[in-house]
Amino acid sequence: MLAAIRPDSWNVPLFLHALGASILVGALVTAVSAELLGWTRDSARYLRLAFRTLLFVGVPAWFAMRVGAEWIYAKESWDKVDNEPAWLGVGYITADLGGLLLLTSVILAGLATRRLARADGGPSILARSAGVLSVIVLLIYLVALWAMTAKPS
Amino acid sequence: MSRYDWLLFLHVLSAFAVVAAVVLFSVVIVAGRQTDVPSEVERLFRVARVGDVLVGVGSVGALLFGIWLAIDVDAYKLWDGWIIAAFVLWLALGAVGSRASRIYNRARDRARVLAREGNAPSAELQALVRSSAGLRLQVASVVIVLAFLVDMIFKPGA
């Protein structure tokens, strides 16, 4: 119902936040798809696709989402509220924890890509760890999506 | 959670699925333009199959839950300008997407055949994957999705 009465000045930061979030989820879906396809074969090539997607699409999208989040937080003056709603806390936790795990996933995928390129290209623990981490990050952001829309109090 | 909360969540989740598909297709198209090896192209199109499922489920879900929301919420009417704009964009995305899909499916099918016939780099395959018409259609898909987001956030005319 907030959408029906939202001031116009909130629209640009909300647009940036939603754009960043949707592209981030898209990058994670792409990376997870590639990493799962490379679970047992052609790992090096799929992992390279996943790594580049996370690095060049996912990370910038995370920053857009995060900057948009702080911007609209300020616009809505939540810093002046004593007891912030639960959904806001969920948003912060998932954004920041997810960002940390996203960065770790990028690093693991990058290291695994280099190692697999030098070796025979078969699956490795490093590559599979990157894949598992990407799945976790994706699930975290789906929880954030639920919190942002359902806004549990 | 109220019915409104559920409907909004499912509507936005469906929309995110569509955006995820567009991002995925864009990544595959960009990566595909950098190779002329049939098995590499075939590999990339396996990733694209996930996008096929997401865009199908997501676009139907976004439409159905969006209509349900518009009916359910008193502040919205199905004939509001921004909602009609959303219908138009939905149809446009479907049209552009199906045309792009036909172009890139030709590349995928050719890659499969060439991969079985020796997997030699192919200028013909490269031309299919680097189709300028396909690229223009994909860019159009991205623009339409951005327009959707603008429409949903700014709700022009509401």
Side-chain angles (χ1 to χ4, degrees), chain B residues 6 21 28 33 42 49 59 90-92 98 107 112 128 140 148 157-158:
Chain B
W6 273 112
V28 166
R33 293 172 76 83
E42 197 185 359
R49 288 179 65 182
S59 55
W90 189 90
L91 288 169
S98 67
R112 279 183 189 155
L128 284 172
F148 249 124

Side-chain angles (χ1 to χ4, degrees), chain A residues 17-57:
Chain A
H17 178 61
L19 180 68
S22 57
I23 293 174
L24 174 58
V25 167
L28 285 165
V29 167
T30 305
V32 165
S33 302
E35 283 160 341
L36 290 180
L37 280 168
W39 194 261
T40 53
R41 62 175 184 146
D42 298 327
S43 300
R45 290 173 173 83
Y46 281 121
L47 196 60
R48 187 168 62 226
L49 181 71
F51 167 64
R52 289 178 176 179
T53 301
L54 289 175
L55 182 63
F56 295 119
V57 182

Side-chain angles (χ1 to χ4, degrees), chain A residues 56-78:
Chain A
F56 295 119
V57 182
V59 170
W62 184 89
F63 278 103
M65 178 274 294
R66 197 63 186 81
V67 166
E70 280 301 325
W71 192 0
I72 190 147
Y73 179 89
K75 282 284 185 184
E76 295 186 26
S77 302
W78 285 113

Side-chain angles (χ1 to χ4, degrees), chain B residues 2-145:
Chain B
S2 67
R3 185 170 64 212
Y4 171 80
D5 294 333
W6 273 112
L7 288 176
L8 183 62
F9 168 63
L10 291 170
H11 174 66
V12 175
L13 181 66
S14 300
F16 266 54
V18 173
V19 176
V22 171
V23 169
L24 189 150
F25 291 144
S26 300
V27 167
V28 166
I29 286 168
V30 168
R33 293 172 76 83
Q34 296 165 11
T35 182
D36 56 1
V37 177
S39 61
E40 297 267 344
V41 174
E42 197 185 359
R43 199 175 292 117
L44 285 170
F45 277 109
R46 275 192 221 119
V47 180
R49 288 179 65 182
V50 175
D52 292 337
V53 174
L54 283 175
V55 79
V57 172
S59 55
V60 170
L63 178 70
L64 289 179
F65 293 119
I67 291 172
W68 195 344
L69 268 170
I71 294 170
D72 207 52
V73 176
D74 292 337
Y76 305 147
K77 297 283 181 288
L78 277 175
W79 49 87
D80 285 345
W82 65 278
I83 293 181
I84 290 176
F87 285 133
V88 171
L89 288 171
W90 189 90
L91 288 169
L93 187 63
V96 166
S98 67
R99 285 181 64 191
S101 171
R102 273 199 295 277
I103 290 172
Y104 287 109
N105 283 347
R106 275 202 295 273
R108 177 203 61 199
D109 294 342
R110 191 67 188 132
R112 279 183 189 155
V113 170
L114 291 171
R116 284 196 299 270
E117 290 177 354
N119 203 33
S122 162
E124 177 207 358
L125 177 63
Q126 194 176 63
L128 284 172
V129 173
R130 289 185 177 184
S131 161
S132 53
L135 185 63
R136 281 196 300 270
L137 288 168
Q138 183 60 22
V139 169
S141 294
V142 171
V143 170
I144 291 170
V145 165

Side-chain angles (χ1 to χ4, degrees), chain A residues 62-97:
Chain A
W62 184 89
F63 278 103
M65 178 274 294
R66 197 63 186 81
V67 166
E70 280 301 325
W71 192 0
I72 190 147
Y73 179 89
K75 282 284 185 184
E76 295 186 26
S77 302
W78 285 113
D79 53 333
K80 298 179 174 58
V81 172
D82 286 335
N83 294 314
E84 290 179 357
W87 63 268
L88 209 56
V90 171
Y92 266 109
I93 291 169
T94 53
D96 293 344
L97 175 63

